[in-house]
Amino acid sequence: MDRRILLRNLLLGLPAGYIIPSVLSSCTKTDLLEMADFKGGVIVIGAGASGIYAAQLLKDQGIDVTVLEASSRVGGRILSDESFAGIPLELGAEEIHGQRSLFYDLVNYQFPERLLPEPGDNLYWLENQIRTEQFILENSDLQGAGQTLFQINESFGSYPGGDMSVLLYLNDFPVEERFMEIANAIIANEYGTSLNRMGMFALREAEAGYSSGLDGYFLREGTVWDVFSKAFSGAIDAVVLNQVVNRIDASGDQVSITTTNNQTYTADRVLVTVPITILQSGSIEVLPALPADKLASIQNISMGNGMKILLRFSAPFWKPETGSIIGGAVVPEYWVSTLGKATTAHVLTAFVMGEKADALNVLSEQQVRDTILAELQSMYPDEEVTGNCVGVLVKNWADEPFIKGAYSYPNPESTGQREILARPEHGKIFFAGEATNYNGHLATVHGAMESGYRACKEILES
Amino acid sequence: MKKHFSLFLLLVIFMTRSEAQNYFDVSAGLQSIDQTAWNRTIQTYNFNRIWLKEPMPDLRNASNFSLGYSGVLASGLFFSPSLTYSAFKSSAENENYSTLARLRWLSVPLCLDIFPLEFGQDSVSSSVRPFLRVGGGASLLMPRVLINDSLTTVDDELYQPMVWPFFYTAGLGVRYNLNKSFGFLFTAMYLRYPSIDLEDFSYALNGNNLVGLTNETSVQSMTYQLSICFRLNGPKSESGEKPKKKVKFKKRR
């Protein structure tokens, strides 16, 4: 072959090798937001975790965002108190669920030294005795039933049977009656409800999607809101407080939002992040009316009562290694909220959800205090409990007028409903919030944040 | 699989022991990949972690290294198995916080090198020899995600899958023989993987998959390699045919 011809061929061929990849690239869309054309304004209703996070994401994309908050504070179900024990204690969202979550990443980035792996041992109130997990798993009388319960709790994501209440399933399995309060605490109370109010299909749906990990973390110092406020100050600056929205009109080119104090806001899109209870109450009129399946999804997802009661003692009556006491008939779970923190205060948090919260809800604060202290005294008969109690702070989330409960839970009717709830309507109305998380992370801060991201992406691509 | 591997070994041994002209190549180069799904996962990570000052870049280019062998099958036709290693990286270093998505990529392509200008020729006069290369093979992919130098988890287990996708490839190359025992080789190859499933990559990086990111995707790749070639056998013709003895004519006086 003539060398000149060969060289010419090579000169033509080699650049082709470089050109091919760029040609290939031009054939496919590689940018996450390549389809995003939206450049208008957005109103976010609700300044909780999902609303604030979504607002920050939108602002970072150059979108003009206003956040309307019904109450006089930001944060929604993130709330703390520092006056009760001299250190900040969480009255709302507290635990960081797993290492594989947005919220864990945020804390790990901003305040890695504050991450406190769930401290202390889990103790169980069983047959009028406080037992360690080790005792249950090694005692010949208890180990079989104990192992069964712990194994069941890890297998809901692959449940193969028909739909029924979780209580019925556990009764049939069988989980022994003496373990049922513990089952209620570790399965239902964690989800913000009671065993008889949960459905197996909805629980399977939630557990199968859950991916953030089983390790629990708390904050050694500071608050959950500290983390949010540091990261999302731009969104927080965009919040207008005391704006109770009662009408969303998406029938025109723009969305018009009216509040009870006769303020009107207009934007190109609206993101609704209010709790499911507020949607259920019908206090927000939506025009044009939402489709029937959306309205059904709103009614089908339940959210129950939830209380956190902080009890401060002059001296601890529990053993130093105590982390949680699980399985009480009045309070499904107590934990030592000052454990691992730099304080001399001794505080227990009583975490009560579902039916048990309903039972306490009808009592006065004094009666709540007396009832809980009586249960603790029965657990520690040889210690002075009631006399050592120097303060009680009751946070009843059902009393919050713009929240009306704790968080959504997997009730039987909610199966498959969260995705419908999350779906945008009329091309202008978008939905976020923990109840719209259909990926297993309902009822968590990071689940709320994920829903904020999902809605933000939908808006940008709308 | 064992059967195929045995056949492959027999073929290599046959060619090595034959009288044919064989090469051993040591190569370095660049591999670029073009696909959407994994980079969307990375972009989703960046989009969500707005607090990170340094975002993670897309997975796009990597250096590669390979060992190859070329054995002649017929005049103008060579069989070229090789072993190629690449490591794609997308990393972000933020203050006290590092994120790394790494994709180790080990490929075994089995190719035919077709020297169209040398078909039917007893010898090759040119030291510059263009060829077409076609073939296919399998790769071993080992995706890993590390945050602050620790492997991330999926369902509370360390994320360290091994994936074995198949591919086919085609491209151009040119051999340049400096002398009878040493030379260079340049190749530009297009590879297509019909499907690679990076099992749970979106979970490993993002911790969730709320917006339905896909881990399974087809992948197109280009590799460019420059090789140093060593001739393994004694002096034979470049086409693989035995050189003809020079005929000495008796001079008539």
Side-chain angles (χ1 to χ4, degrees):
Chain A
M1 184 184 201
D2 188 314
R3 286 196 182 184
R4 279 177 301 179
I5 296 173
L6 175 63
L7 284 172
R8 187 189 67 189
N9 289 346
L10 284 175
L11 286 172
L12 288 172
L14 293 184
Y18 286 98
I19 292 166
I20 287 170
S22 59
V23 172
L24 297 178
S25 297
S26 69
C27 296
T28 55
K29 291 185 182 303
T30 56
D31 187 351
L32 178 70
L33 295 173
E34 199 159 1
M35 302 296 288
D37 298 324
F38 179 72
K39 296 293 177 196
V42 176
I43 287 176
V44 177
I45 304 176
S50 62
I52 290 294
Y53 181 60
Q56 187 68 54
L57 292 177
L58 289 165
K59 281 181 79 73
D60 280 17
Q61 295 298 316
I63 304 297
D64 180 28
V65 182
T66 302
V67 184
L68 304 180
E69 168 55 39
S71 73
S72 57
R73 64 173 185 85
V74 289
R77 282 164 273 183
I78 300 174
L79 178 66
S80 63
D81 179 277
E82 193 163 349
S83 60
F84 179 70
I87 59 162
L89 294 170
E90 301 292 353
L91 301 175
E94 181 166 1
E95 186 173 352
I96 302 164
H97 300 275
Q99 289 190 17
R100 305 298 302 124
S101 82
L102 268 175
F103 188 53
Y104 178 92
D105 283 358
L106 176 58
V107 178
N108 194 22
Y109 178 71
Q110 289 190 322
F111 305 110
E113 72 286 353
R114 293 190 187 180
L115 280 168
L116 174 66
E118 191 173 350
D121 298 333
N122 287 338
L123 305 177
Y124 297 89
W125 179 239
L126 183 65
E127 297 178 315
N128 295 321
Q129 298 280 331
I130 288 183
R131 302 294 194 194
T132 64
E133 188 170 319
Q134 188 181 5
F135 181 87
I136 291 173
L137 294 178
E138 290 178 357
N139 181 279
S140 57
D141 178 44
L142 298 173
Q143 62 180 189
Q147 279 174 346
T148 300
L149 174 59
F150 295 138
Q151 283 165 3
I152 286 175
N153 193 34
E154 292 174 3
S155 65
F156 287 120
S158 55
Y159 168 69
D163 201 9
M164 64 181 86
S165 87
V166 176
L167 180 65
L168 193 61
Y169 169 72
L170 295 183
N171 277 330
D172 282 354
F173 193 82
V175 166
E176 291 184 17
E177 181 58 34
R178 55 183 173 162
F179 276 89
M180 210 49 90
E181 288 290 5
I182 295 174
N184 182 67
I186 64 177
I187 299 167
N189 203 60
E190 279 288 303
Y191 269 107
T193 188
S194 309
L195 288 173
N196 61 329
R197 294 179 178 179
M198 300 173 81
M200 286 304 296
F201 280 6
L203 179 59
R204 179 179 65 190
E205 187 177 75
E207 290 282 305
Y210 185 82
S211 61
S212 54
L214 297 177
D215 297 337
Y217 294 86
F218 293 89
L219 292 176
R220 204 181 299 274
E221 59 181 286
T223 66
V224 171
W225 188 248
D226 290 344
V227 179
F228 260 67
S229 57
K230 182 178 176 187
F232 310 132
S233 57
I236 293 166
D237 289 345
V239 176
V240 185
L241 296 173
N242 303 308
Q243 302 299 305
V244 183
V245 172
N246 60 3
R247 184 182 166 103
I248 299 170
D249 186 351
S251 55
D253 289 340
Q254 287 200 304
V255 189
S256 174
I257 289 126
T258 313
T259 64
T260 54
N261 55 358
N262 294 320
Q263 295 284 317
T264 301
Y265 298 86
T266 56
D268 298 286
R269 304 286 186 271
V270 61
L271 172 57
V272 180
T273 72
V274 300
I276 189 77
T277 45
I278 303 304
L279 293 174
Q280 287 167 347
S281 71
S283 62
I284 301 176
E285 181 188 12
V286 180
L287 295 172
L290 294 171
D293 63 340
K294 172 75 84 177
L295 293 172
S297 72
I298 289 171
Q299 298 305 325
N300 285 336
I301 298 169
S302 295
M303 179 164 131
N305 282 341
M307 300 172 87
K308 266 187 162 180
I309 302 114
L310 305 184
L311 303 117
R312 186 173 178 190
F313 298 91
S314 56
F317 52 83
W318 55 88
K319 289 182 178 172
E321 64 272 19
T322 301
S324 304
I325 306 158
I326 294 165
V330 176
V331 174
E333 183 174 6
Y334 299 89
W335 63 77
V336 183
S337 35
T338 43
L339 188 63
K341 298 180 179 178
T343 178
T344 54
H346 309 287
V347 179
L348 285 184
T349 294
F351 186 60
V352 193
M353 298 279 146
E355 279 187 336
K356 293 185 189 300
D358 293 346
L360 293 181
N361 198 33
V362 297
L363 304 179
S364 68
E365 282 201 16
Q366 184 62 43
Q367 288 171 318
V368 169
R369 170 197 162 110
D370 294 345
T371 306
I372 292 174
L373 287 175
E375 180 172 67
L376 284 169
Q377 188 66 72
S378 71
M379 290 175 172
Y380 291 88
D382 301 330
E383 307 290 338
E384 180 53 55
V385 174
T386 306
N388 270 342
C389 183
V390 293
V392 175
L393 174 61
V394 178
K395 181 61 192 173
N396 186 354
W397 285 94
D399 289 344
E400 285 282 324
F402 304 113
I403 295 174
K404 296 183 176 177
Y407 39 77
S408 70
Y409 62 84
N411 57 302
E413 298 79 14
S414 71
T415 310
Q417 297 294 294
R418 293 175 194 277
E419 201 158 355
I420 299 170
L421 179 66
R423 186 185 66 205
E425 301 296 348
H426 308 316
K428 302 189 193 78
I429 308 175
F430 298 80
F431 294 85
E434 58 84 15
T436 70
N437 189 301
Y438 50 84
N439 207 35
H441 297 163
L442 62 150
T444 63
V445 171
H446 67 272
M449 293 170 71
E450 286 169 11
S451 75
Y453 160 66
R454 189 251 315 138
C456 170
K457 188 165 181 287
E458 289 167 350
I459 289 171
L460 292 172
E461 291 176 350
S462 66
Chain B
M1 191 74 181
K2 274 184 180 174
K3 187 180 169 187
H4 291 127
F5 185 67
S6 305
L7 284 172
F8 167 70
L9 270 183
L10 280 173
L11 188 58
V12 170
I13 292 166
F14 166 76
M15 288 187 302
T16 309
R17 296 181 62 82
S18 73
E19 292 294 308
Q21 183 60 64
N22 303 328
Y23 292 96
F24 176 69
D25 307 326
V26 180
S27 314
L30 175 76
Q31 182 175 359
S32 66
I33 52 172
D34 178 74
Q35 49 72 50
T36 307
W38 306 336
N39 284 336
R40 281 202 173 141
T41 293
I42 290 170
Q43 290 161 10
T44 298
Y45 181 88
N46 292 333
F47 189 90
N48 271 294
R49 276 79 176 169
I50 46 180
W51 49 87
L52 296 179
K53 292 191 177 97
E54 288 296 324
M56 295 175 73
D58 286 353
L59 290 171
R60 207 161 283 286
N61 299 310
S63 306
N64 70 15
F65 305 93
S66 82
L67 299 174
Y69 173 81
S70 269
V72 71
L73 292 174
S75 171
L77 196 62
F78 283 70
F79 175 64
S80 302
S82 59
L83 181 68
T84 304
Y85 173 79
S86 305
F88 288 86
K89 246 175 39 169
S90 168
S91 66
E93 288 291 334
N94 285 280
E95 191 180 347
N96 300 322
Y97 199 86
S98 66
T99 320
L100 168 66
R102 186 180 62 210
L103 188 56
R104 289 193 168 128
W105 197 308
L106 194 64
S107 297
V108 184
L110 308 176
C111 296
L112 279 179
D113 292 352
I114 303 162
F115 292 75
L117 306 177
E118 299 173 15
F119 281 136
Q121 294 200 8
D122 293 341
S123 64
V124 177
S125 55
S126 173
S127 58
V128 180
R129 305 169 58 207
F131 62 91
L132 300 171
R133 176 173 281 184
V134 292
S139 294
L140 167 63
L141 271 66
M142 290 173 283
R144 302 287 183 268
V145 177
L146 293 93
I147 293 177
N148 287 341
D149 300 323
S150 298
L151 278 173
T152 60
T153 56
V154 173
D155 289 336
D156 287 305
E157 292 187 2
L158 291 177
Y159 178 69
Q160 38 192 1
M162 295 168 80
V163 186
W164 297 86
F166 290 93
F167 66 89
Y168 51 87
T169 180
L172 302 170
V174 59
R175 277 194 185 278
Y176 175 67
N177 295 335
L178 274 179
N179 54 46
K180 289 188 175 177
S181 59
F182 182 71
F184 294 103
L185 167 68
F186 175 78
T187 54
M189 301 297 298
Y190 167 81
L191 292 86
R192 181 169 178 82
Y193 292 79
S195 174
I196 303 179
D197 186 359
L198 280 196
E199 297 173 20
D200 294 330
F201 179 59
S202 51
Y203 283 100
L205 184 60
N206 286 296
N208 69 79
N209 195 8
L210 187 67
V211 293
L213 296 165
T214 34
N215 301 306
E216 184 173 359
T217 181
S218 63
V219 173
Q220 302 178 92
S221 173
M222 285 297 300
T223 63
Y224 309 95
Q225 289 188 319
L226 185 62
S227 316
I228 300 170
C229 314
F230 302 95
R231 182 179 288 177
L232 294 176
N233 297 62
K236 313 279 182 339
S237 78
E238 299 294 355
S239 65
E241 297 296 317
K242 287 182 181 179
K244 290 178 180 173
K245 288 179 181 174
K246 282 184 180 175
V247 178
K248 288 184 178 177
F249 296 100
K250 283 184 180 175
K251 290 179 180 173
R252 295 178 185 276
R253 294 181 186 269

